[in-house]
Amino acid sequence: MADRVLLSLLILLSLSGVIFVKEVLPEAGNVQIEVNGHPVYMLSIDEDRIVSVKGPEGETIVEIKDRKVRIAQSPCLNKLCMKKGWIEHGALVCLPNRVVITIGDFKKVDSQRGIESPFDAVDAVTG
Amino acid sequence: MDTLVTINVVSPSQDGAEKAMNAALSEVEKLEKLFSFFSADSEVSLVNKNAGVAGVKVSPEIIYILDRAIIVSKNTHGAFDITIGPVIMLYDFYKEIRPGERAIKKNLPLVNYKDIVINRDDSTVFLKKKGMLIDLGGIAKGYAADRVVDSLKKHGIKAGLVSVAGDIRTFGNKPDGRPWKIGIRNPRAKGAEDDIMAIIELSDMAISTSGDYERYFVQDGKRYHHLLNPKTGYPAEGCQSVSVIAGESTFSDAFATGIFILGPEKGLKVLAAMGFDGVIVDSRGKIHITANIRGKIEFKRNP
């Protein structure tokens, strides 16, 4: 029985038709920050940190604290990404500045051993 | 369309998975071009521009999605109606602008899905009245999710999960053989701790949610959200959120909108008539669910 791998692909469609493609979401416990589709940071969600990334519009400041993540500052017009506040799972996106932050939920799986999901882990969120 | 698309596939090979996902990506690009309400040369925009003037030749995908949209309109007593365009355009949820009664009364006669004329012989779509506007926002994402799943299956993928901005379609099971776990958002969440109100397990089903918290503003103590009642031109009032579980995302997406507008009582009847499952949070925050999913859904206790 071949090992089965769970792979993920994240695509962003924007009004201007630009598409960012990213492969393989980070594993559980990791916070991945990408700019323009390229990973810039892979951080542990367990360590409080403030980092700054530079996108085409300017600096986006990302904060990790108490196992939560937020966009503290971003140069976009609408500040929608900042209004989302703190997240514990899923993704945060600042489209104008091309910044994508994902919190890893997945464990790479070997079908022979199976997986034990943490109680709160979901594969996707609707709503 | 500012939309986050996530594709998850289960595959014995990384190579096979990447090939399938790249094909799916092309599919999404193609759909984006067809459906964009904002892009001046999309087929939908051309149909709208020629309202009351002439029929416009369209791709089979557009005919298909219009047919599906009309089926949903018929089964929701007209609560779901893609011709809502002229009225939704009067609202701006970022600038917090809403129309006065006169503007709504003026545009309401342009809202009627029965005025969409589809000619199958020459593949044209004609909107009968000048000023009519089709908005596929309530169904396009679900349709995109279905198309992506079709594309993945064609490339040999046996299991996966596709999400187009919260419209989710699952097929097969996860690598450990278990169904996919989908979180349903709490429509009145105050923060990350109470963000998810329930977790439901799905196998080979689609789930979509319409909520009054997605695009809205509050003015004079009243919430103005984007799910407008096509009969009144004002935001529907019976629900906070509606999640519909069906065999395809095209339907779960559109029916979630229609059932939200109908309200909990009529909404539950439509779910029963269609053989779908659903979770309705009514305007007072009370949760109604269809009998079938009782064993498959777990509600989180909020402190």
Side-chain angles (χ1 to χ4, degrees):
Chain A
M1 183 70 157
D3 280 352
R4 299 185 85 79
V5 174
L6 182 61
L7 289 180
S8 287
L9 174 67
L10 205 69
I11 309 168
L12 275 169
L13 301 182
S14 69
L15 281 174
S16 60
V18 177
I19 297 174
F20 313 112
V21 175
K22 179 173 71 83
E23 292 176 12
V24 189
L25 288 175
E27 293 190 9
N30 285 331
V31 177
Q32 182 169 287
I33 305 175
E34 288 176 291
V35 181
N36 260 325
H38 302 298
V40 175
Y41 282 106
M42 179 74 93
L43 305 167
S44 165
I45 202 165
D46 292 314
E47 274 181 47
D48 290 358
R49 251 189 99 162
I50 298 178
V51 297
S52 165
V53 291
K54 198 160 190 285
E57 305 243 322
E59 305 244 312
T60 292
I61 298 176
V62 181
E63 185 176 358
I64 301 176
K65 192 177 155 118
D66 298 331
R67 308 196 87 238
K68 297 190 192 95
V69 184
R70 72 165 175 160
I71 291 179
Q73 193 57 242
S74 206
C76 53
L77 256 177
N78 282 315
K79 312 281 186 216
L80 289 173
C81 57
M82 290 167 58
K83 284 181 186 162
K84 279 223 118 182
W86 296 96
I87 60 162
E88 277 177 280
H89 47 70
L92 274 175
V93 174
C94 176
L95 211 47
N97 209 25
R98 309 284 192 260
V99 176
V100 178
I101 303 159
T102 31
I103 299 179
D105 275 330
F106 295 109
K107 294 191 185 329
K108 288 243 172 77
V109 187
D110 174 354
S111 66
Q112 288 160 335
R113 283 198 293 271
I115 183 179
E116 276 174 46
S117 316
F119 172 74
D120 273 292
V122 293
D123 300 308
V125 177
T126 181
Chain B
M1 188 160 90
D2 273 19
T3 307
L4 194 66
V5 177
T6 314
I7 302 176
N8 305 293
V9 303
V10 180
S11 169
S13 88
Q14 175 133 356
D15 202 47
E18 280 181 23
K19 281 203 175 77
M21 293 202 285
N22 284 329
L25 175 59
S26 306
E27 190 66 31
V28 175
E29 272 181 289
K30 180 176 151 200
L31 292 171
E32 222 275 323
K33 287 198 173 80
L34 284 180
F35 293 142
S36 177
F37 189 55
F38 301 100
S39 140
D41 56 1
S42 74
E43 290 193 358
V44 170
S45 286
L46 289 171
V47 170
N48 286 336
K49 271 187 207 151
N50 285 282
V53 175
V56 174
K57 197 164 163 80
V58 295
S59 313
E61 286 92 344
I62 298 279
I63 303 270
Y64 178 84
I65 210 178
L66 292 179
D67 280 341
R68 282 324 227 200
I70 291 169
I71 290 174
V72 181
S73 292
K74 289 190 174 141
N75 282 286
T76 56
H77 315 291
F80 177 77
D81 194 324
I82 55 171
T83 62
I84 192 76
V87 180
I88 191 93
M89 290 221 52
L90 300 173
Y91 290 79
D92 188 324
F93 297 97
Y94 292 130
K95 297 194 183 128
E96 305 200 355
I97 294 173
R98 63 181 180 92
E101 186 153 356
R102 216 174 300 148
I104 291 184
K105 277 208 159 78
K106 183 164 173 243
N107 284 289
L108 220 44
L110 297 171
V111 181
N112 191 341
Y113 71 92
K114 294 178 186 164
D115 289 332
I116 303 172
V117 182
I118 301 175
N119 185 324
R120 272 156 237 289
D121 295 325
D122 57 13
S123 282
T124 59
V125 176
F126 173 58
L127 302 176
K128 276 195 193 155
K129 296 179 185 161
K130 210 163 163 58
M132 277 184 76
L133 291 171
I134 314 180
D135 180 353
L136 293 180
I139 191 170
K141 296 188 178 92
Y143 177 66
D146 285 333
R147 288 292 296 254
V148 169
V149 168
D150 287 344
S151 169
L152 292 172
K153 283 180 176 175
K154 238 184 266 173
H155 284 82
I157 303 294
K158 301 277 184 339
L161 182 155
V162 174
S163 168
V164 180
D167 285 313
I168 294 165
R169 172 91 189 262
T170 69
F171 62 107
N173 288 321
K174 296 198 292 192
D176 60 356
R178 306 230 51 235
W180 300 89
K181 281 180 154 187
I182 312 296
I184 300 180
R185 214 176 289 273
N186 172 358
R188 294 293 183 267
K190 293 194 183 67
E193 329 77 49
D194 61 349
D195 190 34
I196 307 274
M197 73 170 186
I199 297 179
I200 187 167
E201 293 196 325
L202 292 183
S203 262
D204 293 310
M205 297 303 275
I207 184 169
S208 298
T209 302
S210 286
D212 68 357
Y213 52 89
E214 297 174 282
R215 283 198 287 156
Y216 76 99
F217 58 91
V218 178
Q219 217 174 75
D220 303 322
K222 209 170 148 81
R223 178 184 292 246
Y224 293 90
H225 61 78
H226 75 295
L227 295 156
L228 306 180
N229 184 335
K231 310 270 160 71
T232 67
Y234 289 97
E237 288 190 356
C239 309
Q240 293 179 2
S241 78
V242 170
S243 302
V244 171
I245 298 143
E248 57 178 83
S249 281
T250 310
F251 275 163
S252 60
D253 191 5
F255 274 101
T257 300
I259 286 169
F260 181 102
I261 292 164
L262 282 174
E265 280 160 46
K266 289 193 183 142
L268 285 167
K269 291 202 175 92
V270 170
L271 287 172
M274 298 298 305
F276 295 154
D277 282 303
V279 179
I280 299 176
V281 183
D282 70 22
S283 54
R284 282 168 303 159
K286 180 164 178 226
I287 298 171
H288 310 256
I289 67 172
T290 52
N292 246 351
I293 51 172
R294 271 192 196 131
K296 302 188 195 118
I297 190 167
E298 190 186 334
F299 286 91
K300 297 183 94 189
R301 298 226 154 276
N302 287 315

